[in-house]
Amino acid sequence: MKLLLIGANGTIGSIVREEMKKEAEIITAGRHHADISVDITSIESIKQMYKDVGKVDAVVNTAGAAHFAPLQKMTPEQNQVAVNSKLLGQVNLVILGMDAVTDNGSFTLTTGVLMDDPIKQAASAAMANGGVRAFVQSAAIEMPRGLRINHVSPTMLEVSAEKYGSLFQGFEPASSERIGLAYRKSIMGAQTGKGFYVY
Ligand SMILES: NC(=O)c1ccc[n+]([C@@H]2O[C@H](COP(=O)([O-])OP(=O)(O)OC[C@H]3O[C@@H](n4cnc5c(N)ncnc54)[C@H](OP(=O)(O)O)[C@@H]3O)[C@@H](O)[C@H]2O)c1
């Protein structure tokens, strides 16, 4: 199978690469050091990526930014980071990408624990996650040609604990193995419109 992986060089992207490398020909995408250059905040860039890549059997996105700041200090411009990247970036990958995916292929997007288990400074990220979850659930009933769509919602990863651990007090970090399996289930399984929650 041909798998287009956006955010492939990141922490979660690397886990998905490792998990799927045996059965998939993985085409990596991102802003730097990838097979295909793409910025998911740009509609033109997403269109160009799909033109360059041709047909694929699965699209997996593990890219998406959000600004973390105290709610009372958050500016609309800072909030827009998550809107443009984590929310609309992921939604646009789907609405511009359906024709690029073969019959019965799949989209897998990435949300996160913050929409279900809030921490301070994370309202903007939670907003984007919740929007993506609602989009996935709703888009699934209209997908043509047997296409499937799911999202994976990770908690903080063990490998990210050094970076984010001080923010996620009391959270049990998830192993890379569990994260990889959740993406595998979305890519290789039969379910659609689902969230695979690794917490
Ligand atoms: N790590 C965790 O513990 C954790 C837990 C729950 C949820 N999540 C969510 O999972 C997602 C990925 O997290 P991560 O830790 O893997 O992040 P990461 O290590 O920073 O990786 C993100 C990847 O996405 C690419 N990217 C970023 N912005 C992009 C853009 N506008 N267009 C195209 N590619 C872009 C980056 O590469 P370039 O800079 O080269 O583009 C990078 O390869 C995020 O949405 C995060 O909120 C992470």
Side-chain angles (χ1 to χ4, degrees), residues 141-163:
I141 66 171
E142 288 193 72
M143 282 279 162
R145 298 181 288 104
L147 299 189
R148 297 180 301 104
I149 179 168
N150 299 299
H151 67 98
V152 173
S153 183
T155 189
M156 181 186 67
L157 276 69
E158 280 171 2
V159 286
S160 300
E162 201 173 320
K163 203 166 158 193

Side-chain angles (χ1 to χ4, degrees), residues 7 10-12 31-32 38-40 62-64 86 110 154-155 157 160:
T11 305
I12 296 180
R31 291 170 304 184
H32 317 97
V38 68
D39 179 348
I40 64 165
T62 60
K86 236 189 152 175
T110 299
T155 189
L157 276 69
S160 300

Side-chain angles (χ1 to χ4, degrees), residues 22-192:
K22 282 207 184 99
E23 48 266 278
E25 177 197 337
I26 298 174
I27 302 153
T28 63
R31 291 170 304 184
H32 317 97
H33 313 299
D35 298 333
I36 294 191
S37 177
V38 68
D39 179 348
I40 64 165
T41 66
S42 159
I43 289 169
E44 282 316 310
S45 178
I46 293 174
K47 283 182 178 168
Q48 189 61 48
M49 173 185 70
Y50 282 124
K51 223 183 253 177
D52 293 344
V53 83
K55 291 278 183 195
V56 295
D57 304 298
V59 175
V60 177
N61 178 62
T62 60
H67 186 82
F68 285 70
L71 189 63
Q72 291 182 57
K73 291 194 175 154
M74 176 82 71
T75 65
E77 292 76 16
Q78 288 169 339
N79 187 48
Q80 202 67 34
V81 173
V83 173
N84 291 343
S85 183
K86 236 189 152 175
L87 177 55
L88 290 187
Q90 298 206 87
V91 168
N92 287 336
L93 283 172
V94 177
I95 61 182
L96 296 171
M98 278 178 282
D99 287 347
V101 180
T102 54
D103 292 0
N104 306 310
S106 68
F107 289 92
T108 304
L109 306 183
T110 299
T111 54
V113 68
L114 296 174
M115 64 181 163
D116 286 324
D117 201 357
I119 60 171
K120 283 184 178 171
Q121 306 196 24
S124 189
M127 167 202 69
N129 288 338
V132 171
R133 169 162 62 188
F135 173 76
V136 163
Q137 192 172 303
S138 184
I141 66 171
E142 288 193 72
M143 282 279 162
R145 298 181 288 104
L147 299 189
R148 297 180 301 104
I149 179 168
N150 299 299
H151 67 98
V152 173
S153 183
T155 189
M156 181 186 67
L157 276 69
E158 280 171 2
V159 286
S160 300
E162 201 173 320
K163 203 166 158 193
Y164 301 124
S166 61
L167 285 172
F168 286 82
Q169 296 291 332
F171 284 66
E172 187 181 356
S175 67
S176 298
E177 191 188 357
R178 287 187 65 206
I179 300 292
L181 289 173
Y183 283 89
R184 171 178 287 278
K185 189 182 278 185
S186 177
I187 298 161
M188 303 296 282
Q191 299 184 64
T192 189

